[in-house]
Amino acid sequence: MDGTGTGRTDGNGTHSTAENATTRTDRTPETVIVGAGLVGVVAACYLAPRFGPVTVLEKRPDPRADPGPQRRSLVVMLSARGWRALSDLGVAEAVRRICVPLHGRCGHLPDGRTRMTPYSRDGRPIWAVERRRLHRILLDAAEATPGVSIRFGQRVRSVDLDRPAVQVEDRHGTHRLTCRRILGCDGAHSATRAALQARGARIEVRTLDLAYQEIDVPAGRLEPDITHYWPSGQAMFAAHPLPSGKLSGSLFMRRDGPAPSYAAAGGQELSALFAAHFPELTGIIPDIEEQLATKAVSTLTAVHCDRWVWRDTFALLGDSCHAMAPFMGHGMNCGFEDARVLVDCLEATSDPSAGLAAYETSRTEDAHAISELSYRHYFTMANPPREESAADVLRGRLTALFPDRFVPLYERCAFTEDGYASVLRDDRRLDRLVAELLARHGTGLVSVPDDRLRACVHAPTTATLEDSGCS
């Protein structure tokens, strides 16, 4: 299903190619989706079988026929939420064939040590997949779904929330397309989001203080089934394996401010800065100086919206309403989950307004939670402690002794479909429990036998180390 972009059929069964995929249709679609990225095509596949014809509008050319330069990160991570959507759409096995299973992350620490952290306690992997190949599979799946029509080269200039309708510009001119529902899946710099903002929604779009360069890492020098990262406190390099054996690397530093930052370094200075912070990598990546001098420096954008929907006519999904830092690997997974939850909410009621309102209520708190976790995770990785604190050791022991009650945060995000907000709340509760236990019993608690630690956890909050049997 990893298509080449030729000989496809549209949602009406009409043979089409990338060149004529912009042909107009007189039929009014039930839904117009703006943006044919990963989330947009998944949303189309979910909606068309349940709610009728879907037209997807994409301003860029068909990437299968005209791949052009890679505009987004080369690799994305698939976890349980993403696999749920791919399974629902019948493409999970096709996607799995182009994935690399990753069983954990290895930190290459400044003092020469390495620290391996499994992604799960039972050995389950997350999966790395090349964005472009995944996108091709999903585009082919969408075009094979009855009722879905994808039109490329269509730039949406404005959105009428009341009609509803979109004003579209293409190579033939400008035209108006009416429908019953509009979904904005057009990314962090969404054009459709402006219509919601004009109705009073509070939108925050900010450029994060981190920037990055994507760096190619040759095969054969690093284990091919784990994520590698090199923290240096003020900067970090991460590398994800590809099916070819090579790795897709990223150098992260501050955009501005004193070194190490992109603003403070350029040309040879950037190479010297890299060598000072990541000496091991200068031997692993022979052409690192050339790559640093020529690879583009990209910024990271975060989006926060207090409203995602308008009545029964409009909704935002994916990065258009919750673009986040990439460090938890959940932006795409969260967007796929948006599409699934949206359809579930619409199917649960005969009132489309109530369905969209339920979708917004269900998703906003979770999106805010995973956005917070994603940004925070960078600093956790970039600034590893020299040694585990008593709190870290106690947390580890609790998750081992009570595997169902205390699940590591990353594991729960990646391998369950629990709400991100619930995950964050429970993690904070565990923090409070650990702090309370240490305050009550002292740091000696971390080395007591298992049965005594269990007794301490179950003891009343007024108990002491001695009277709870934890001495």
Side-chain angles (χ1 to χ4, degrees), residues 108 217-224 228 245 247 280 282-286:
H108 300 258
V217 181
R221 301 295 298 274
L222 298 166
E223 294 91 332
H228 298 266
L247 293 90
E280 180 184 358
T282 59
I284 293 174
I285 311 173

Side-chain angles (χ1 to χ4, degrees), residues 48-378:
R50 297 165 176 84
F51 297 102
V54 175
T55 294
V56 185
L57 304 176
E58 171 57 50
K59 65 183 179 181
R60 298 185 176 96
D62 188 336
R64 296 163 296 183
D66 179 21
Q70 186 86 334
R71 290 176 293 268
R72 300 290 303 278
S73 60
L74 184 63
V75 175
V76 290
M77 298 297 153
L78 273 164
S79 53
R81 300 162 208 271
W83 285 116
R84 165 73 179 277
L86 298 179
S87 178
D88 287 349
L89 303 183
V91 297
E93 288 308 310
V95 172
R96 199 175 298 273
R97 287 195 291 269
I98 63 169
C99 287
V100 177
L102 304 178
H103 295 276
R105 70 179 79 91
C106 180
H108 300 258
L109 306 183
D111 61 7
R113 294 179 298 134
T114 58
R115 179 178 297 164
M116 182 66 189
T117 305
Y119 284 131
S120 68
R121 293 169 296 176
D122 58 5
R124 286 174 293 172
I126 62 171
W127 301 78
V129 60
E130 293 176 74
R131 176 188 291 272
R132 180 173 284 169
R133 297 180 71 187
L134 174 62
H135 195 194
R136 288 174 177 172
I137 288 175
L138 291 174
L139 284 168
D140 286 349
E143 288 190 328
T145 300
V148 175
S149 173
I150 305 178
R151 304 187 200 173
F152 297 95
Q154 307 284 298
R155 184 178 294 274
V156 172
R157 292 299 188 184
S158 64
V159 174
D160 181 342
L161 296 181
D162 297 317
R163 176 68 177 158
V166 291
Q167 195 76 14
V168 185
E169 178 185 328
D170 62 17
R171 60 192 179 92
H172 301 291
T174 301
H175 63 283
R176 184 176 174 86
L177 178 62
T178 60
C179 57
R180 295 188 183 181
R181 181 188 301 113
I182 300 167
L183 302 183
C185 301
D186 49 340
H189 303 288
S190 168
T192 59
R193 191 174 56 224
L196 202 58
Q197 191 168 13
R199 299 299 177 97
R202 292 190 295 273
I203 312 293
E204 180 186 9
V205 181
R206 63 189 180 97
T207 302
L208 299 179
D209 57 353
L210 295 169
Y212 69 98
Q213 285 177 288
E214 296 201 333
I215 304 293
D216 301 324
V217 181
R221 301 295 298 274
L222 298 166
E223 294 91 332
D225 61 349
I226 56 177
T227 296
H228 298 266
Y229 70 101
W230 288 258
S232 73
Q234 300 297 316
M236 184 177 74
F237 190 92
H240 302 291
L242 299 171
S244 65
K246 296 180 180 180
L247 293 90
S248 173
S250 298
L251 169 63
F252 294 96
M253 290 194 300
R254 293 191 307 270
R255 287 185 299 119
D256 302 309
S261 72
Y262 281 105
Q268 293 299 316
E269 291 183 16
L270 182 55
S271 296
L273 184 151
F274 186 92
H277 284 267
F278 309 106
E280 180 184 358
L281 287 168
T282 59
I284 293 174
I285 311 173
D287 62 344
I288 186 61
E289 289 191 19
E290 178 184 351
Q291 291 200 56
L292 290 170
T294 58
K295 291 293 183 72
V297 176
S298 301
T299 57
L300 297 170
T301 301
V303 174
H304 180 281
C305 301
D306 72 329
R307 293 296 312 275
W308 290 19
V309 307
W310 179 257
R311 296 177 181 171
D312 63 343
T313 62
F314 181 78
L316 295 171
L317 294 83
D319 282 357
S320 64
C321 49
H322 57 63
M324 65 190 73
F327 304 109
M328 285 286 286
H330 275 262
M332 177 189 70
N333 294 278
C334 186
F336 286 1
E337 193 172 49
D338 289 346
R340 180 182 63 78
V341 172
L342 173 66
V343 168
D344 288 347
C345 290
L346 289 171
E347 286 191 310
T349 178
S350 59
D351 179 356
S353 293
L356 291 188
Y359 159 72
E360 179 183 74
T361 299
S362 171
R363 296 304 292 156
T364 49
E365 188 182 11
D366 280 342
H368 298 163
I370 189 58
S371 294
E372 176 185 334
L373 289 169
S374 296
Y375 188 57
R376 190 175 82 186
H377 195 53
Y378 170 79

